[in-house]
Amino acid sequence: MDADIVIIGGGQAGLATAHVARALGLAPVLLEASRSTAGSWPHYYASLTLFSPARRSALPGARFPGDPDGYPTRDEVITYLTGYAERLDADIRTGHRVVKVAADSTGRRFEVVEDGQSFSAPIVIAATGAFGRPYRPEPPGLETFSGIVLHSSDYRRPEDFAGRRIVIVGGGNSAVQIGIELSGQARVTLATRHPLRFMPQRLLGVDMHIWLQRTGLDTAGRARRLLTGGKGTPVLDTGTYRARIATGNPDRRPMFTRLDGDDVVWQDGTREHIDVLLLATGFRPGVEYLTELGALDEHGQPKHRHGVSATHPGLGYVGLEWQRCFASATLRGVGADARHVLDHLLKAHRPRRGRAA
């Protein structure tokens, strides 16, 4: 089946891209593997809230409802995304998992293959995010560890870990938020290679995301270096996170040297029994379907510049972390990135409209 543009992924990045495509006169076909148009949000832990306020958390063309200065919950985001998809004038097909993208002999069109059907288009946007591909490092001794090992993507609620001794690997926003939540039920340590770094959620009464936009740091070329210092993105703190960690539960310690049976061996040589090792170690782009196309590097990372493929004209990405700026993988960032990518791709590929059927 022929299409103007095929968008792979029906979460926030794919929905924003479909909206932008329609505004540019294209008839997008959007393929989503799950039966939902809420992306990864239904699979996150129940207490998750956005790190940006509602007024800065909207997709193009639809404000986020409720208190504009409030921080939406997971379930509020699910409702928002589902409603956004219902109002979107696009061919959205759920339950369509893409397994491969191939280029035709001319290199001017792509064949997008999913279970039982294929689509042909001159433009393909990979908007599948990263939740489906958790990064799971293997610390020394992991093969001997007899306790529970899980990734933050597997975590749902603290009651499941009552009374356990837990070590969380990672010091980002999710690691700190999960650690504080678990500390109400268990004894928790955050193990990190660098000290925790905090950034105030609000400065002079204004959310930090707004400051980043007003100052231009949000999209500045040196923003990543300035914000991370090469030591990870700082934790956005309302004033409670730092205070809770100062109480000692959760506490922060330098990364352990190894695991041994059901013990963790800390850098000072002390050993301690633990029940749960939770890896809050992030994700990698879930774009395995591009492997045969040759669009990825040896680590499975897309070869691109600001979301425009460096290997295949007509191929783009939306929703990658730090794709163009600090906000690229967020609700507030995907719309601008989609417009940037499609503007560039359309300079080389202007498809004929309305061929999807």
Side-chain angles (χ1 to χ4, degrees), residues 11-147:
Q12 61 195 37
L15 295 174
T17 304
H19 182 279
V20 173
R22 289 294 299 155
L24 292 172
L26 304 178
V29 174
L30 191 153
L31 305 177
E32 165 57 34
S34 74
R35 296 293 178 181
S36 165
T37 53
S40 302
W41 285 92
H43 307 289
Y44 292 141
Y45 53 97
S47 63
L48 179 65
T49 59
L50 288 180
F51 302 121
S52 56
R55 70 168 70 245
R56 288 294 187 272
S57 300
L59 296 182
R63 63 178 291 275
F64 207 106
D67 179 4
D69 293 316
Y71 295 88
T73 66
R74 180 199 69 173
D75 290 346
E76 288 172 335
V77 174
I78 293 171
T79 299
Y80 173 76
L81 292 176
T82 302
Y84 190 92
E86 291 172 350
R87 296 186 298 271
L88 190 60
D89 183 15
D91 183 356
I92 301 175
R93 306 188 181 206
T94 59
H96 284 60
R97 180 176 296 278
V98 172
V99 296
K100 183 177 69 172
V101 176
D104 70 5
S105 59
T106 68
R108 301 289 295 179
R109 293 185 71 84
F110 298 96
E111 182 185 19
V112 180
V113 181
E114 59 95 26
D115 295 336
Q117 192 172 7
S118 64
F119 301 80
S120 177
I123 295 177
V124 170
I125 302 295
T128 39
F131 186 82
R133 192 183 170 200
Y135 175 55
R136 301 175 185 267
E138 297 187 3
L142 181 65
E143 68 280 0
T144 71
F145 181 60
S146 55

Side-chain angles (χ1 to χ4, degrees), residues 44 49 60 108 147 151 158 170 180 196 198 209 221 234 264 287 305 335 341 356:
Y44 292 141
T49 59
R108 301 289 295 179
H151 190 269
I180 289 174
L196 296 176
F198 295 95
H209 288 85
V264 62
V287 289
R305 178 172 175 77
V341 171

Side-chain angles (χ1 to χ4, degrees), residues 268-292:
D268 62 3
T270 59
R271 304 170 66 97
E272 183 180 6
H273 167 84
I274 64 171
D275 302 299
V276 180
L277 182 70
L278 194 155
L279 304 173
T281 45
F283 302 83
R284 298 293 184 267
V287 289
E288 298 89 344
Y289 48 84
L290 296 176
T291 300
E292 293 184 31

Side-chain angles (χ1 to χ4, degrees), residues 169-239:
V169 176
N173 283 287
S174 293
V176 170
Q177 193 174 84
I178 291 172
I180 289 174
E181 182 172 87
L182 282 170
S183 68
Q185 301 279 340
R187 175 76 179 88
V188 182
T189 292
L190 297 166
T192 67
R193 299 194 181 282
H194 305 284
L196 296 176
R197 299 170 59 242
F198 295 95
M199 177 186 293
Q201 180 78 66
R202 304 181 75 84
L203 185 63
L204 301 177
V206 178
D207 184 86
M208 184 55 65
H209 288 85
I210 298 175
W211 281 115
L212 291 172
Q213 289 178 307
R214 288 178 177 175
T215 61
L217 185 59
D218 209 19
T219 56
R222 299 175 60 197
R224 187 169 189 173
R225 189 188 317 166
L226 291 171
L227 290 171
T228 69
K231 299 177 182 179
T233 303
V235 177
L236 288 169
D237 186 15
T238 61

Side-chain angles (χ1 to χ4, degrees), residues 329-353:
T330 70
L331 280 164
R332 74 180 178 89
V334 288
D337 281 4
R339 183 64 189 239
H340 172 85
V341 171
L342 289 181
D343 281 346
H344 277 70
L345 295 184
L346 286 174
K347 290 179 181 178
H349 291 270
R350 185 72 202 186
R352 289 177 295 173
R353 296 179 54 192

Side-chain angles (χ1 to χ4, degrees), residues 179-185 237 239-251:
I180 289 174
E181 182 172 87
L182 282 170
S183 68
Q185 301 279 340
D237 186 15
T240 60
Y241 290 172
R242 190 194 299 263
R244 283 291 300 274
I245 290 172
T247 68
N249 187 28
D251 67 337

